Amino acid sequence: MIFKFVFLANFFSLSDAAATAATTKSGAAACTEIKTWNALKASVKKFKKAEAKTLTLCSFKLVKPSNQQPLVFSGRKNIIIRCELGGTCNLKADGGTRGLLAVKTNGVTLMDFSLRSSAVSKFPCIDVGGKKKKIRLVRITFESCTNFHPRKSGGAITVKKKATVYLNKCIFLGCSSASDGGAIYNMGEVYATAAEFVSCSTSGKGGAIYSTTGWLQIEGSKFITNSAEKSGDNVWSSDGGSIDSAPGNSACSDRSSACLGYIIGTDPSECFEFTNTGPGVDARCPAVSFPSGSPTVSDGGGPVPSQGPTVETSIYTPPQDASWSLLAWGWNNGGQDDVTSTLIVDVDHEVSAGEISQLRDDGHVVLCYFSAGTLEKWRTDYEDADAATRAKWNSLIIKKMGDWDEWWLDFTKPNLFVLKELMGARLQRMRDIGCQGVEPDNVDCYDNKRCVNKRNTSDLRRDQIAYNRWLADEAHRRGMFIALKNALDIVPDLVDDFDCAMNESCYHYKECGAYKPFIEKKKLVMNVEYKAQSPGWCDSRGAPELMSKWCDGNGNICKGDPWFNCR
């Protein structure tokens, strides 16, 4: 068993038995001073109950005592814990086999930390929990993060199934694992941009990264002198093989359904920068176009290239009784409604930035409609696209919709990757023009015979949930709230992912009870009925929690009379 370590001189200048506290620099933003490990735990615990979204710590050098458990992030979602601007918060384990940090909640962002485990650790420096747990790591240095456990892999980070880690400008120095994945063991999703893996090692596979059942996306990163005793000095995929080994370098280049991820770029200089990686260092990068709409993380310390989410501290939460106007759809001429005294205004995603700005200046919250499941060939991002982009859209077509001039799109693998690219760009445009929320339509393919098209309905339902959840994550990382449109059968699966709901005709079909999960969580449910109602209908309709409106229509569109609102 061989382990390689890189030690930085004077990384810690204090005794392992003590810690010093930094003070707030003159002119800097206020930060919380931390002098001991227990004080750090207390500050994080207190922060869970605070209204602020960001906890800024003064620079420190702390040692975790050998008898202490990892610092656990749980409870609150979508929080930022960072070191003061220009500073570094150093955490080191003083003996003991436990790791430093554990993430058990969604949406934690850590910025400007330096982590180092004990030399006898049997856990990674950061353990990221399971379903829907996400962590964003910005400018984190992992030095000699070690995991000596013979079966628990990953020296620096273990990413469990259905968990997600976004890495921006993170450095892994001398990390090691006795099993697989010297730095990272991935069973979930890992997105890394501008990362550096230096002298990481494992006695198993994947000197820097081992990706098994998960998704791996790497861009603009360096892999230098990493090593694995078995296979894959830099990256090993259990399905794709050793990415940096010439004989097995077909990982994802064939776009097969077994692909775990893509290495971005068209040549090695744009993808990996390898130095002394051993045999087979060609690092081929398939020419794959990945989502280009990834925003930039900006925290006052300069931009950080990001494949992960923008650090957003405030996503609007629609109140359960919000009044709303519908301008996006529902009428032959595109939709008309009175916006004089309503809070939320639903508009088409191709309105201008100026129109959205005017609505926001008038005190409205702007919700933007778009189709996430069909191709509308009159849309700008298809009609004005180049031939290659049009070909991508066309490659996803399943079958034409029955009643509308639209075509169902395939969201199953491997076509999912192309669809994510196209929809990611669309979501980014909506963010850029000022949309505060999004309403993706046609996200219930499993319930439409033309979209099912003789495919397995159970598999489609599962894939639909995954795709819809991705849409929610992408909207949230761009700072926008999101509405679940129809898709009643999967409401229980997605109520925690979506901020509100939009429904058509649940009273007509006697299925409004499906929105009980949203109602119980005090989330807004908007409802439209395309049938003229009696004057007392609003008071007698049942499910009064729904914010309903109706018109004199033909079942799926209004004839021409105005909308009538129940509240």
Side-chain angles (χ1 to χ4, degrees):
M1 186 179 297
I2 299 174
F3 293 94
K4 295 183 179 180
F5 299 91
V6 175
F7 295 95
L8 296 181
N10 300 320
F11 185 79
F12 288 96
S13 60
L14 73 165
S15 165
D16 284 350
T20 58
T23 57
T24 304
K25 299 176 182 178
S26 175
C31 58
T32 300
E33 292 192 71
I34 303 294
K35 296 185 178 181
T36 66
W37 177 260
N38 285 334
L40 176 61
K41 291 199 301 182
S43 293
V44 172
K45 183 177 181 180
K46 182 179 179 181
F47 178 59
K48 292 179 182 179
K49 300 179 181 180
E51 294 184 1
K53 291 286 188 178
T54 302
L55 172 62
T56 301
L57 304 173
C58 301
S59 295
F60 60 66
K61 294 181 180 179
L62 292 184
V63 175
K64 181 179 83 69
S66 59
N67 62 345
Q68 290 287 322
Q69 296 292 317
L71 178 62
V72 177
F73 300 106
S74 62
R76 288 190 69 188
K77 299 180 180 181
N78 302 318
I79 58 173
I80 302 171
I81 300 178
R82 59 161 304 158
C83 203
E84 63 178 322
L85 186 62
T88 301
C89 294
N90 297 313
L91 294 176
K92 175 185 176 182
D94 179 25
T97 61
R98 307 294 297 185
L100 288 169
L101 306 175
V103 179
K104 296 183 178 180
T105 189
N106 188 32
V108 175
T109 297
L110 296 179
M111 305 178 72
D112 299 306
F113 280 79
S114 185
L115 307 177
R116 180 174 175 177
S117 69
S118 96
V120 295
S121 175
K122 292 186 178 180
F123 290 85
C125 277
I126 300 181
D127 187 6
V128 183
K131 187 177 181 181
K132 295 193 290 186
K133 302 300 186 293
K134 293 181 174 65
I135 183 171
R136 308 166 177 95
L137 302 176
V138 180
R139 290 187 298 269
I140 307 295
T141 297
F142 298 84
E143 190 201 7
S144 298
C145 284
T146 303
N147 184 352
F148 276 98
H149 198 288
R151 295 181 302 278
K152 296 179 180 179
S153 305
I157 306 172
T158 295
V159 186
K160 296 180 180 177
K161 289 183 179 180
K162 298 185 179 181
T164 305
V165 172
Y166 302 92
L167 303 171
N168 297 302
K169 286 192 172 180
C170 292
I171 300 173
F172 300 81
L173 299 171
C175 298
S176 58
S177 169
S179 183
D180 295 313
I184 298 174
Y185 183 79
N186 175 40
M187 294 182 288
E189 297 185 23
V190 172
Y191 302 83
T193 299
E196 295 187 24
F197 299 84
V198 182
S199 297
C200 296
S201 61
T202 180
S203 57
K205 299 175 181 179
I209 302 173
Y210 183 102
S211 188
T212 170
T213 57
W215 171 267
L216 176 64
Q217 177 182 325
I218 304 174
E219 182 177 16
S221 298
K222 298 180 180 180
F223 290 73
I224 303 172
T225 60
N226 302 295
S227 63
E229 288 191 10
K230 292 184 178 179
S231 300
D233 284 338
N234 290 303
V235 181
W236 175 268
S237 153
S238 60
D239 283 348
S242 176
I243 291 177
D244 63 312
S245 173
N249 198 8
S250 62
C252 297
S253 60
D254 60 356
R255 296 175 60 86
S256 69
S257 59
C259 277
L260 298 182
Y262 288 128
I263 308 304
I264 298 179
T266 56
D267 64 71
S269 65
E270 294 181 5
C271 177
F272 282 142
E273 182 175 324
F274 285 114
T275 304
N276 300 326
T277 55
V281 297
D282 59 331
R284 300 174 192 170
C285 304
V288 176
S289 178
F290 226 85
S292 58
S294 298
T296 297
V297 174
S298 181
D299 57 14
V304 179
S306 173
Q307 282 301 124
T310 302
V311 176
E312 296 286 354
T313 59
S314 59
I315 296 176
Y316 180 80
T317 302
Q320 187 178 20
D321 60 351
S323 57
W324 65 287
S325 298
L326 180 56
L327 305 185
W329 46 270
W331 281 49
N332 287 319
N333 63 359
Q336 295 294 326
D337 200 358
D338 180 22
V339 301
T340 305
S341 58
T342 53
L343 176 62
I344 296 174
V345 179
D346 190 3
V347 301
D348 187 82
H349 72 99
E350 290 196 330
V351 301
S352 69
E355 291 175 274
I356 290 178
S357 178
Q358 184 61 58
L359 286 169
R360 294 182 63 168
D361 288 345
D362 291 340
H364 300 292
V365 175
V366 180
L367 176 66
C368 293
Y369 166 88
F370 73 105
S371 178
T374 64
L375 169 62
E376 304 160 303
K377 293 186 177 181
W378 65 88
R379 293 295 186 182
T380 303
D381 52 7
Y382 178 87
E383 193 172 54
D384 295 344
D386 56 33
T389 301
R390 282 196 180 193
K392 289 179 182 179
W393 283 107
N394 293 334
S395 71
L396 301 174
I397 291 176
I398 297 172
K399 186 174 283 189
K400 191 176 184 296
M401 266 188 157
D403 299 331
W404 305 97
D405 191 21
E406 302 177 43
W407 287 259
W408 286 104
L409 298 175
D410 188 12
F411 53 83
T412 63
K413 294 180 180 178
N415 288 331
L416 173 64
F417 310 130
V418 178
L419 183 60
K420 284 184 175 181
E421 173 190 353
L422 297 169
M423 290 301 164
R426 184 172 280 184
L427 285 164
Q428 185 62 29
R429 180 187 177 275
M430 284 185 272
R431 176 184 185 270
D432 292 342
I433 64 174
C435 299
Q436 293 158 284
V438 293
E439 178 206 344
D441 198 2
N442 303 310
V443 290
D444 50 3
C445 164
Y446 64 89
D447 198 32
N448 184 286
K449 289 183 179 180
R450 297 184 70 84
C451 186
V452 171
N453 197 28
K454 299 181 181 181
R455 294 179 292 174
N456 184 283
T457 305
S458 297
D459 290 345
L460 281 177
R461 184 181 185 277
R462 177 202 63 208
D463 292 342
Q464 185 78 72
I465 291 170
Y467 175 53
N468 292 0
R469 188 167 284 146
W470 176 84
L471 288 169
D473 289 344
E474 290 297 298
H476 289 154
R477 81 180 181 88
R478 290 173 170 85
M480 299 183 291
F481 69 91
I482 185 168
L484 179 63
K485 180 77 170 282
N486 297 323
L488 276 70
D489 291 340
I490 54 179
V491 161
D493 300 280
L494 295 172
V495 64
D496 290 332
D497 300 278
F498 284 75
D499 307 289
C500 57
M502 176 71 75
N503 169 266
E504 295 173 284
S505 304
C506 73
Y507 287 103
H508 176 71
Y509 293 108
K510 297 180 173 57
E511 54 191 15
C512 295
Y515 286 101
K516 184 178 178 181
F518 275 93
I519 293 169
E520 288 179 340
K521 291 182 178 291
K522 307 297 183 183
K523 293 187 176 184
L524 169 67
V525 180
M526 296 167 279
N527 159 251
V528 299
E529 299 291 325
Y530 303 109
K531 183 180 179 181
Q533 306 294 340
S534 63
W537 178 78
C538 288
D539 295 328
S540 62
R541 63 197 160 109
E545 299 88 352
L546 274 62
M547 297 301 295
S548 298
K549 62 174 70 224
W550 57 270
C551 67
D552 184 7
N554 62 3
N556 59 13
I557 201 166
C558 295
K559 294 178 181 178
D561 292 332
W563 287 104
F564 295 90
N565 293 287
C566 282
R567 297 191 192 182

